[in-house]
Amino acid sequence: MKDFAGRFAVITGGGTGMGRELARQLVAEGCNVAMCDVSPEAMAETKRMCEAEKLPQGLRVTTHVADVSIEAHLQRFRDELIEQQATDKIHLLFNNAGIGGGGSLFTNTREQWERTFNICWGGVYLGVRTFLPLMMKADEAHIVNTSSVNGFWASVGLGASHTAYSAAKFAVKGFTEALMTDLRLNAPHIKCSVVMPGHIGTSIVSNSRKIQSGSESEELSPNEILATRQRLKGMGIDTAPMSDDDIQKIALDRARTFREEAPTTAAAAAKIILDGVKAERWRILVGDDAHKLDERVRQAPEKAYTPEFYKSFTDEVGWRLG
């Protein structure tokens, strides 16, 4: 698919981050976009940004509230899309929605763990299941599933458990790689790609906390403050002298720096992804840190979870994670 003009695209998680930038860049190329998110306010802002420049006549940008971990929500999204976009086919499916959290089987609740897993993995699986019939009707189509560097390296550092997100992203990677053969045999006009971003400047840290807590407040709950203390302790930081206000400030600063000091912006990430789709690359690494980490893990997989590996890598790329 060398250009996107006149095509129809579905984007999950279109309210912020890479989803927002994918929508903006696709619309700029003349592609109709239907996006979903759990936040109607965030999607309204994405739509406003898409429409800031005069859209070509007939181009449609629609927003749909949906939790991608719930199949009925995606089915409603699909039905609304068919009606509002006036089409029975789509050409591009970006399974982009995701959250963090639920990192530990020990210190997080089962509900938190499964919330992360069911969005990050279940949303991709259900997204393909839901929209595949509409892609079958297109002359050509492309499925783009967002995994992560945590789809080949299951860590964010020695001081933080990261099991739910990593397990989900490994599942996305394996599913997409297996899907290539399934599509070649049964729907050769549909291609697929797995996207593996490194550290991208998005609001995933703050958004994930809000979704996990069910609150739009920036204030941490007592349980979240305790969890933050545990995370910092795992990183070798003594939190005993710190007040709860100190912990709150650290958490807010972490969310800010993750978004503002990332080596790759969401806009740059979206361009890399769309260029990869046009080039029909099935494996799209996003960011220099992703390329470097991929190379290091392949060179020494047995050492990938040692303190020496992590320190050497973070020193090279300047990561401040955990």
Side-chain angles (χ1 to χ4, degrees), residues 247-259:
I247 299 297
Q248 171 75 44
K249 184 178 182 301
I250 288 171
L252 288 173
D253 188 59
R254 175 174 177 253
R256 180 193 61 78
T257 57
F258 188 93
R259 181 182 66 253

Side-chain angles (χ1 to χ4, degrees), residues 113-125:
W113 202 99
E114 293 184 356
R115 184 82 176 119
T116 299
F117 187 80
N118 291 340
I119 289 174
C120 292
W121 155 242
V124 171
Y125 168 68

Side-chain angles (χ1 to χ4, degrees), residues 20-21 24 44-53:
R20 170 176 287 176
E21 295 301 329
R24 293 181 68 187
E45 177 61 12
T46 299
K47 184 175 181 180
R48 185 198 66 76
M49 295 170 76
C50 288
E51 294 174 344
E53 300 294 332

